[in-house]
Amino acid sequence: MWHQLTRLMIKKEKIKYAFVTSAKTTDSELSDTQIDKLFDDLKITWDNDMLDQTEVKTLNDIKYTYKGDNEGGFVILQTEMK
């Protein structure tokens, strides 16, 4: 059980790092507070339900998309300039 939790925590940190890196690459002016708000707005909560959802948020003319697919076991984090 401990190993499963550790792997899950590592995956969460990798997902968060990937999203933050993508967001800051697209909009270098984003503050940590804005990034935290994006996580909230995209409903990235780290529970099992987040794998079955799609959320989109636009901030500073950039579209942020989160899509989780439970069947495929993957998530998509996308930043796109409008």
Side-chain angles (χ1 to χ4, degrees), residues 5-42:
L5 288 175
T6 302
R7 282 195 302 255
L8 181 59
M9 288 170 52
I10 290 170
K11 285 181 184 179
K12 289 177 186 178
E13 287 304 311
K14 286 182 178 181
I15 291 169
K16 184 174 183 177
Y17 178 79
F19 179 77
V20 170
T21 301
S22 177
K24 286 201 173 208
T25 299
T26 307
D27 184 354
S28 61
E29 300 297 315
L30 278 180
S31 68
D32 291 340
T33 303
Q34 288 174 307
I35 290 174
D36 289 341
K37 177 113 173 69
L38 276 172
F39 272 93
D40 290 343
D41 291 345
L42 294 171

Side-chain angles (χ1 to χ4, degrees), residues 37 42 58 60 69 77 81:
K37 177 113 173 69
L42 294 171
T58 300
N60 299 336
D69 184 306
L77 300 166
M81 297 180 84

